[in-house]
Amino acid sequence: LMKKTTCEIVIKKKDLEISKLSSEKLELERRAAALTSKIQSLNNYINEYSTELNSPDQANIDLHKHSATCEFLGQLSSAKAKLTQALNDCNYKCDRIRKQIRSIYTEQTKYQKMADNREKETLIEDDKLDRKYNEELFLANYVRAHLGAK
């Protein structure tokens, strides 16, 4: 019986670990979605300003505006690179947590099987004890009835 309670304690502990890691993973997934959205937004700006730079209206080009647009595109690209790195980190952490959860779950399953087997053994032992007790009771009653009759 002690073995079973130990298994149950370990199973509960693993449940809490999985729950904590799942919350972390959910938070990382939210962050990844937000980063993906910001990167998409930056891509739209980059495309818009690149199109503006490459417009066929080169005859009356404003060099100051052209230079400012190039500088701005550089800043957008730099921001995009930082966000992409953050997104990659986020995805990496998410993947690591996913693997941790899988590993804990596998471990938890082993303990669950041990607990189930222990429960089966206990039921079989209880059944044997019940049968032994019933046989002894039957024997005692039988002896009492037959000895008492004589």
Side-chain angles (χ1 to χ4, degrees):
L1 200 71
M2 186 60 197
K3 195 177 181 183
K4 184 175 184 277
T5 20
T6 306
C7 285
E8 284 178 344
I9 290 167
V10 173
I11 291 166
K12 283 273 185 278
K13 192 173 166 263
K14 300 286 171 203
D15 262 340
L16 291 173
E17 286 177 41
I18 289 173
S19 175
K20 184 178 176 275
L21 287 169
S22 294
S23 303
E24 282 178 41
K25 188 169 76 77
L26 196 66
E27 198 49 52
L28 284 166
E29 286 167 347
R30 281 194 194 117
R31 184 158 183 255
L35 286 166
T36 302
S37 171
K38 286 177 183 172
I39 290 168
Q40 188 52 57
S41 181
L42 283 175
N43 275 336
N44 294 340
Y45 280 120
I46 289 169
N47 291 338
E48 193 179 311
Y49 284 96
S50 295
T51 305
E52 194 177 299
L53 271 186
N54 300 326
S55 69
D57 195 22
Q58 294 295 321
N60 28 341
I61 191 168
D62 177 346
L63 286 178
H64 180 71
K65 186 182 177 202
H66 185 83
S67 157
T69 303
C70 282
E71 192 182 326
F72 187 56
L73 271 170
Q75 291 169 348
L76 288 176
S77 294
S78 169
K80 180 186 167 185
K82 283 179 186 163
L83 289 178
T84 302
Q85 184 55 57
L87 178 62
N88 290 340
D89 291 347
C90 220
N91 288 334
Y92 173 75
K93 286 177 188 170
C94 239
D95 200 48
R96 235 181 42 213
I97 288 177
R98 204 173 285 112
K99 285 176 184 160
Q100 271 180 287
I101 289 173
R102 199 175 303 127
S103 151
I104 292 169
Y105 180 75
T106 303
E107 209 178 320
Q108 185 188 38
T109 305
K110 288 176 191 167
Y111 280 99
Q112 187 61 58
K113 282 179 185 165
M114 281 168 58
D116 292 346
N117 289 340
R118 184 72 192 128
E119 199 169 343
K120 279 178 203 157
E121 285 169 23
T122 305
L123 288 173
I124 290 167
E125 284 168 26
D126 287 351
D127 193 45
K128 282 180 186 169
L129 283 174
D130 283 349
R131 250 184 278 138
K132 187 178 177 210
Y133 173 76
N134 287 338
E135 285 169 13
E136 286 172 2
L137 194 64
F138 173 78
L139 216 59
N141 287 339
Y142 180 83
V143 169
R144 201 176 305 116
H146 285 78
L147 287 180
K150 293 186 174 173

